[in-house]
Amino acid sequence: MNKKVAVILSGCGVYDGAEIHESVITLLRLDQRGAEVQCFAPDVAQLHVVDHYSGDEMNETRNVLVESARIARGQIKDVRALHAADFDALIMPGGFGVAKNLSDFATNGAGCSVQPDVLAACKAFADAGKPVGMMCIAPALAAKIFGAGVACTIGTDHDTAAALTQMGAEHHECEVSEIIEDRQRKLVTTPAYMLAQSIAEAASGINKMVDRVLELAHH
């Protein structure tokens, strides 16, 4: 029986939203493995908008749900409509949108809070013991979702790892092609573009993470 997987996006574009390569690799792998997927995003304004050509901040506002719909080809729902009971697993791609729109980790670091609708949705999966996959910077939210002692990785960046540790997470260094699994909590994480130098490198770990999340969903 095909598993149903929810994917939470954080906008569209690495600097102010969801990392597009990570999101597409995730959606592709889920489809290849026969999973039924529904994308979600919070209906909130982005922290800011970045010109991905120049890298400069732009004087305009955009909505996280509307921008995420670009990646999902319009097939997306407000994260408030995400009910863990309807799905077997949850996956969250990275990108600065996780740290800027799904939380305020980008500005407040270890003292950050998670956007309430996103936190409620993620906690429901954790409380139900359903597998969760996170990549890139997304594991920065792990301690807020799963509590102190959760094992995860953002790769090898010491400053970010220190912030995660300060928040109560147990950080494990990890190569781009590998995954870290917290067996008790069914959380699977991989560094993706925290370390990847190419789309193929990003895919090497993301595919393993998606495969493991689906395996856990079948157990």
Side-chain angles (χ1 to χ4, degrees):
M1 185 173 158
N2 292 352
K3 292 299 175 183
K4 296 182 71 175
V5 181
V7 175
I8 296 181
L9 300 175
S10 59
C12 183
V14 58
Y15 301 127
D16 59 11
E19 213 297 319
I20 295 172
H21 291 179
E22 291 176 358
S23 302
V24 173
I25 291 165
T26 298
L27 296 172
L28 173 60
R29 189 60 170 182
L30 286 167
D31 192 49
Q32 288 173 335
R33 295 299 307 275
E36 187 180 328
V37 180
Q38 177 62 56
C39 291
F40 295 88
D43 185 7
V44 296
Q46 291 184 185
L47 173 68
H48 59 202
V49 180
V50 175
D51 180 333
H52 280 63
Y53 182 66
S54 68
D56 298 329
E57 194 172 326
M58 301 172 70
N59 186 26
E60 62 177 271
T61 58
R62 295 189 188 182
N63 177 281
V64 177
L65 178 58
V66 172
E67 289 300 296
S68 298
R70 293 174 179 268
I71 295 174
R73 295 173 60 87
Q75 301 302 306
I76 196 163
K77 296 179 179 179
D78 187 330
V79 76
R80 283 179 289 189
L82 172 50
H83 304 293
D86 299 334
F87 294 89
D88 300 294
L90 170 69
I91 295 180
M92 186 183 292
F96 276 111
V98 173
K100 293 177 176 180
N101 304 327
L102 303 190
S103 73
D104 55 8
F105 181 78
T107 51
N108 291 329
C112 73
S113 60
V114 181
Q115 198 276 336
D117 298 330
V118 172
L119 183 62
C122 294
K123 270 186 169 291
F125 278 87
D127 293 344
K130 294 186 175 184
V132 176
M134 299 175 124
M135 67 199 75
C136 192
I137 194 62
L141 311 188
K144 297 291 184 181
I145 295 164
F146 292 92
V150 61
C152 60
T153 189
I154 46 80
T156 58
D157 185 84
H158 293 158
D159 289 344
T160 308
L164 266 64
T165 301
Q166 194 178 337
M167 292 163 70
E170 185 182 290
H171 183 265
H172 296 260
E173 291 203 350
C174 179
E175 295 301 315
V176 67
S177 60
E178 296 303 322
I179 59 175
I180 295 295
E181 180 181 344
D182 184 319
R183 300 202 172 192
Q184 179 188 340
R185 297 170 178 85
K186 294 186 181 176
L187 172 66
V188 188
T189 54
T190 191
Y193 273 106
M194 288 294 288
L195 286 178
Q197 299 297 308
S198 69
I199 192 168
E201 279 193 3
S204 65
I206 293 170
N207 288 343
K208 280 184 187 174
M209 186 268 286
V210 170
D211 289 352
R212 183 56 182 156
V213 166
L214 291 175
E215 281 175 16
L216 290 171
H218 280 282
H219 287 169

